[in-house]
Amino acid sequence: MSHTIYHLLHINAPINRVFDAITSIEELKLWYTTEAQGSSKLNEIIEFKFGGVDFHTKVIELIDNKKIVMECVASSLPLVGQKVTYELDQNDDKTRVRFYQDGFEELDDFYANMNFSSSKYLESLRQYCQKGSSEAFGSPGYRS
């Protein structure tokens, strides 16, 4: 059986602002990790580093201002084959973000840690889009 991390949040920012933040390499560096490179175009690779941890994702679905799906193709963690999805829609005056990370075999400590980490970075995304500040890994504001 495969398990999925799922988060739902609302960001008080226009949908195109949120979409740009999750698809622009330069903006990913401001809220996710300062060590991001590559391209977020369809079938392209984005490389992320968090100190000694790295993972490379391939963009497998991209719908402007609506959705991006990335599949992990290489990692120092057991993440290869997992998919991360961001789905966006308008909800009143806010952007609703549905986040999924699927492919966990067990509800174990690794799953729990990844669940916590994803929520921490989603809050960083929210703060970045709403206030222009964030806690990207490697940034001066990062809480270790």
PDB file of all heavy atoms in Angstrom, residues 85-102:
ATOM      1  N   THR A  85       2.893  17.122  -6.038  1.00  0.00           N
ATOM      2  CA  THR A  85       1.903  17.865  -6.818  1.00  0.00           C
ATOM      3  C   THR A  85       1.474  19.099  -6.061  1.00  0.00           C
ATOM      4  O   THR A  85       1.202  19.036  -4.856  1.00  0.00           O
ATOM      5  CB  THR A  85       0.659  16.992  -7.084  1.00  0.00           C
ATOM      6  OG1 THR A  85       1.068  15.800  -7.759  1.00  0.00           O
ATOM      7  CG2 THR A  85      -0.380  17.731  -7.905  1.00  0.00           C
ATOM      8  N   TYR A  86       1.406  20.213  -6.778  1.00  0.00           N
ATOM      9  CA  TYR A  86       0.789  21.439  -6.268  1.00  0.00           C
ATOM     10  C   TYR A  86      -0.389  21.724  -7.180  1.00  0.00           C
ATOM     11  O   TYR A  86      -0.210  21.878  -8.392  1.00  0.00           O
ATOM     12  CB  TYR A  86       1.741  22.630  -6.337  1.00  0.00           C
ATOM     13  CG  TYR A  86       2.941  22.570  -5.441  1.00  0.00           C
ATOM     14  CD1 TYR A  86       4.105  21.929  -5.859  1.00  0.00           C
ATOM     15  CD2 TYR A  86       2.929  23.182  -4.198  1.00  0.00           C
ATOM     16  CE1 TYR A  86       5.225  21.897  -5.045  1.00  0.00           C
ATOM     17  CE2 TYR A  86       4.053  23.154  -3.380  1.00  0.00           C
ATOM     18  CZ  TYR A  86       5.193  22.509  -3.809  1.00  0.00           C
ATOM     19  OH  TYR A  86       6.304  22.485  -3.013  1.00  0.00           O
ATOM     20  N   GLU A  87      -1.603  21.788  -6.614  1.00  0.00           N
ATOM     21  CA  GLU A  87      -2.792  22.177  -7.369  1.00  0.00           C
ATOM     22  C   GLU A  87      -3.292  23.496  -6.797  1.00  0.00           C
ATOM     23  O   GLU A  87      -3.410  23.644  -5.574  1.00  0.00           O
ATOM     24  CB  GLU A  87      -3.891  21.124  -7.245  1.00  0.00           C
ATOM     25  CG  GLU A  87      -3.566  19.826  -7.926  1.00  0.00           C
ATOM     26  CD  GLU A  87      -4.682  18.793  -7.782  1.00  0.00           C
ATOM     27  OE1 GLU A  87      -5.630  19.007  -7.000  1.00  0.00           O
ATOM     28  OE2 GLU A  87      -4.583  17.757  -8.455  1.00  0.00           O
ATOM     29  N   LEU A  88      -3.588  24.443  -7.673  1.00  0.00           N
ATOM     30  CA  LEU A  88      -4.016  25.768  -7.255  1.00  0.00           C
ATOM     31  C   LEU A  88      -5.401  26.087  -7.806  1.00  0.00           C
ATOM     32  O   LEU A  88      -5.724  25.723  -8.937  1.00  0.00           O
ATOM     33  CB  LEU A  88      -3.050  26.841  -7.769  1.00  0.00           C
ATOM     34  CG  LEU A  88      -1.559  26.649  -7.502  1.00  0.00           C
ATOM     35  CD1 LEU A  88      -0.763  27.770  -8.143  1.00  0.00           C
ATOM     36  CD2 LEU A  88      -1.280  26.574  -6.024  1.00  0.00           C
ATOM     37  N   ASP A  89      -6.189  26.776  -7.003  1.00  0.00           N
ATOM     38  CA  ASP A  89      -7.439  27.342  -7.486  1.00  0.00           C
ATOM     39  C   ASP A  89      -7.782  28.549  -6.626  1.00  0.00           C
ATOM     40  O   ASP A  89      -7.182  28.776  -5.578  1.00  0.00           O
ATOM     41  CB  ASP A  89      -8.574  26.304  -7.522  1.00  0.00           C
ATOM     42  CG  ASP A  89      -8.979  25.802  -6.156  1.00  0.00           C
ATOM     43  OD1 ASP A  89      -9.701  26.525  -5.441  1.00  0.00           O
ATOM     44  OD2 ASP A  89      -8.578  24.674  -5.801  1.00  0.00           O
ATOM     45  N   GLN A  90      -8.733  29.319  -7.119  1.00  0.00           N
ATOM     46  CA  GLN A  90      -9.165  30.527  -6.413  1.00  0.00           C
ATOM     47  C   GLN A  90     -10.262  30.145  -5.430  1.00  0.00           C
ATOM     48  O   GLN A  90     -11.181  29.418  -5.777  1.00  0.00           O
ATOM     49  CB  GLN A  90      -9.698  31.543  -7.421  1.00  0.00           C
ATOM     50  CG  GLN A  90      -9.723  32.951  -6.915  1.00  0.00           C
ATOM     51  CD  GLN A  90      -8.324  33.527  -6.753  1.00  0.00           C
ATOM     52  OE1 GLN A  90      -7.463  33.295  -7.587  1.00  0.00           O
ATOM     53  NE2 GLN A  90      -8.105  34.255  -5.687  1.00  0.00           N
ATOM     54  N   ASN A  91     -10.162  30.636  -4.206  1.00  0.00           N
ATOM     55  CA  ASN A  91     -11.178  30.397  -3.183  1.00  0.00           C
ATOM     56  C   ASN A  91     -11.425  31.730  -2.489  1.00  0.00           C
ATOM     57  O   ASN A  91     -10.594  32.174  -1.703  1.00  0.00           O
ATOM     58  CB  ASN A  91     -10.709  29.330  -2.188  1.00  0.00           C
ATOM     59  CG  ASN A  91     -11.776  28.978  -1.184  1.00  0.00           C
ATOM     60  OD1 ASN A  91     -12.956  29.181  -1.423  1.00  0.00           O
ATOM     61  ND2 ASN A  91     -11.360  28.447  -0.063  1.00  0.00           N
ATOM     62  N   ASP A  92     -12.557  32.351  -2.816  1.00  0.00           N
ATOM     63  CA  ASP A  92     -12.845  33.727  -2.387  1.00  0.00           C
ATOM     64  C   ASP A  92     -11.721  34.619  -2.903  1.00  0.00           C
ATOM     65  O   ASP A  92     -11.430  34.600  -4.080  1.00  0.00           O
ATOM     66  CB  ASP A  92     -13.026  33.820  -0.876  1.00  0.00           C
ATOM     67  CG  ASP A  92     -14.293  33.089  -0.394  1.00  0.00           C
ATOM     68  OD1 ASP A  92     -15.293  33.092  -1.149  1.00  0.00           O
ATOM     69  OD2 ASP A  92     -14.263  32.504   0.698  1.00  0.00           O
ATOM     70  N   ASP A  93     -11.055  35.355  -2.043  1.00  0.00           N
ATOM     71  CA  ASP A  93      -9.983  36.250  -2.476  1.00  0.00           C
ATOM     72  C   ASP A  93      -8.601  35.639  -2.287  1.00  0.00           C
ATOM     73  O   ASP A  93      -7.593  36.341  -2.379  1.00  0.00           O
ATOM     74  CB  ASP A  93     -10.055  37.572  -1.704  1.00  0.00           C
ATOM     75  CG  ASP A  93     -11.301  38.371  -2.056  1.00  0.00           C
ATOM     76  OD1 ASP A  93     -11.829  38.178  -3.172  1.00  0.00           O
ATOM     77  OD2 ASP A  93     -11.742  39.176  -1.222  1.00  0.00           O
ATOM     78  N   LYS A  94      -8.535  34.360  -2.006  1.00  0.00           N
ATOM     79  CA  LYS A  94      -7.257  33.707  -1.727  1.00  0.00           C
ATOM     80  C   LYS A  94      -6.974  32.605  -2.739  1.00  0.00           C
ATOM     81  O   LYS A  94      -7.866  32.145  -3.439  1.00  0.00           O
ATOM     82  CB  LYS A  94      -7.261  33.127  -0.314  1.00  0.00           C
ATOM     83  CG  LYS A  94      -7.400  34.187   0.759  1.00  0.00           C
ATOM     84  CD  LYS A  94      -7.354  33.594   2.126  1.00  0.00           C
ATOM     85  CE  LYS A  94      -7.488  34.722   3.159  1.00  0.00           C
ATOM     86  NZ  LYS A  94      -7.439  34.203   4.508  1.00  0.00           N
ATOM     87  N   THR A  95      -5.715  32.191  -2.756  1.00  0.00           N
ATOM     88  CA  THR A  95      -5.332  31.048  -3.576  1.00  0.00           C
ATOM     89  C   THR A  95      -5.300  29.820  -2.687  1.00  0.00           C
ATOM     90  O   THR A  95      -4.631  29.809  -1.656  1.00  0.00           O
ATOM     91  CB  THR A  95      -3.945  31.273  -4.211  1.00  0.00           C
ATOM     92  OG1 THR A  95      -4.009  32.431  -5.049  1.00  0.00           O
ATOM     93  CG2 THR A  95      -3.522  30.064  -5.032  1.00  0.00           C
ATOM     94  N   ARG A  96      -6.067  28.817  -3.079  1.00  0.00           N
ATOM     95  CA  ARG A  96      -6.071  27.555  -2.344  1.00  0.00           C
ATOM     96  C   ARG A  96      -5.001  26.654  -2.960  1.00  0.00           C
ATOM     97  O   ARG A  96      -4.936  26.490  -4.174  1.00  0.00           O
ATOM     98  CB  ARG A  96      -7.435  26.890  -2.427  1.00  0.00           C
ATOM     99  CG  ARG A  96      -7.504  25.560  -1.689  1.00  0.00           C
ATOM    100  CD  ARG A  96      -8.906  24.999  -1.591  1.00  0.00           C
ATOM    101  NE  ARG A  96      -9.723  25.286  -2.746  1.00  0.00           N
ATOM    102  CZ  ARG A  96     -11.039  25.488  -2.692  1.00  0.00           C
ATOM    103  NH1 ARG A  96     -11.681  25.434  -1.541  1.00  0.00           N
ATOM    104  NH2 ARG A  96     -11.728  25.728  -3.793  1.00  0.00           N
ATOM    105  N   VAL A  97      -4.162  26.096  -2.091  1.00  0.00           N
ATOM    106  CA  VAL A  97      -3.082  25.207  -2.527  1.00  0.00           C
ATOM    107  C   VAL A  97      -3.341  23.826  -1.946  1.00  0.00           C
ATOM    108  O   VAL A  97      -3.488  23.665  -0.735  1.00  0.00           O
ATOM    109  CB  VAL A  97      -1.702  25.709  -2.044  1.00  0.00           C
ATOM    110  CG1 VAL A  97      -0.599  24.756  -2.490  1.00  0.00           C
ATOM    111  CG2 VAL A  97      -1.439  27.130  -2.521  1.00  0.00           C
ATOM    112  N   ARG A  98      -3.399  22.851  -2.837  1.00  0.00           N
ATOM    113  CA  ARG A  98      -3.449  21.450  -2.414  1.00  0.00           C
ATOM    114  C   ARG A  98      -2.086  20.849  -2.751  1.00  0.00           C
ATOM    115  O   ARG A  98      -1.660  20.893  -3.900  1.00  0.00           O
ATOM    116  CB  ARG A  98      -4.556  20.707  -3.131  1.00  0.00           C
ATOM    117  CG  ARG A  98      -5.939  21.101  -2.678  1.00  0.00           C
ATOM    118  CD  ARG A  98      -7.000  20.290  -3.430  1.00  0.00           C
ATOM    119  NE  ARG A  98      -8.317  20.548  -2.904  1.00  0.00           N
ATOM    120  CZ  ARG A  98      -9.140  21.482  -3.375  1.00  0.00           C
ATOM    121  NH1 ARG A  98      -8.760  22.239  -4.386  1.00  0.00           N
ATOM    122  NH2 ARG A  98     -10.321  21.656  -2.843  1.00  0.00           N
ATOM    123  N   PHE A  99      -1.433  20.303  -1.733  1.00  0.00           N
ATOM    124  CA  PHE A  99      -0.104  19.722  -1.889  1.00  0.00           C
ATOM    125  C   PHE A  99      -0.204  18.230  -1.624  1.00  0.00           C
ATOM    126  O   PHE A  99      -0.799  17.809  -0.636  1.00  0.00           O
ATOM    127  CB  PHE A  99       0.862  20.360  -0.879  1.00  0.00           C
ATOM    128  CG  PHE A  99       2.199  19.669  -0.798  1.00  0.00           C
ATOM    129  CD1 PHE A  99       3.239  20.069  -1.623  1.00  0.00           C
ATOM    130  CD2 PHE A  99       2.419  18.640   0.100  1.00  0.00           C
ATOM    131  CE1 PHE A  99       4.476  19.440  -1.551  1.00  0.00           C
ATOM    132  CE2 PHE A  99       3.647  18.001   0.179  1.00  0.00           C
ATOM    133  CZ  PHE A  99       4.679  18.396  -0.647  1.00  0.00           C
ATOM    134  N   TYR A 100       0.385  17.441  -2.522  1.00  0.00           N
ATOM    135  CA  TYR A 100       0.425  15.989  -2.366  1.00  0.00           C
ATOM    136  C   TYR A 100       1.865  15.519  -2.574  1.00  0.00           C
ATOM    137  O   TYR A 100       2.549  15.999  -3.471  1.00  0.00           O
ATOM    138  CB  TYR A 100      -0.421  15.273  -3.424  1.00  0.00           C
ATOM    139  CG  TYR A 100      -1.840  15.727  -3.547  1.00  0.00           C
ATOM    140  CD1 TYR A 100      -2.181  16.771  -4.402  1.00  0.00           C
ATOM    141  CD2 TYR A 100      -2.854  15.094  -2.837  1.00  0.00           C
ATOM    142  CE1 TYR A 100      -3.493  17.188  -4.540  1.00  0.00           C
ATOM    143  CE2 TYR A 100      -4.178  15.505  -2.975  1.00  0.00           C
ATOM    144  CZ  TYR A 100      -4.485  16.551  -3.825  1.00  0.00           C
ATOM    145  OH  TYR A 100      -5.787  16.951  -3.961  1.00  0.00           O
ATOM    146  N   GLN A 101       2.287  14.579  -1.772  1.00  0.00           N
ATOM    147  CA  GLN A 101       3.534  13.861  -2.020  1.00  0.00           C
ATOM    148  C   GLN A 101       3.217  12.393  -1.824  1.00  0.00           C
ATOM    149  O   GLN A 101       2.960  11.945  -0.712  1.00  0.00           O
ATOM    150  CB  GLN A 101       4.655  14.307  -1.073  1.00  0.00           C
ATOM    151  CG  GLN A 101       5.967  13.606  -1.375  1.00  0.00           C
ATOM    152  CD  GLN A 101       7.126  14.140  -0.553  1.00  0.00           C
ATOM    153  OE1 GLN A 101       7.020  15.162   0.112  1.00  0.00           O
ATOM    154  NE2 GLN A 101       8.234  13.441  -0.589  1.00  0.00           N
ATOM    155  N   ASP A 102       3.201  11.645  -2.924  1.00  0.00           N
ATOM    156  CA  ASP A 102       2.787  10.250  -2.817  1.00  0.00           C
ATOM    157  C   ASP A 102       3.905   9.283  -3.155  1.00  0.00           C
ATOM    158  O   ASP A 102       4.838   9.611  -3.856  1.00  0.00           O
ATOM    159  CB  ASP A 102       1.537   9.956  -3.644  1.00  0.00           C
ATOM    160  CG  ASP A 102       1.616  10.437  -5.068  1.00  0.00           C
ATOM    161  OD1 ASP A 102       2.182  11.498  -5.306  1.00  0.00           O
ATOM    162  OD2 ASP A 102       1.096   9.737  -5.957  1.00  0.00           O
TER     163      ASP A 102
END
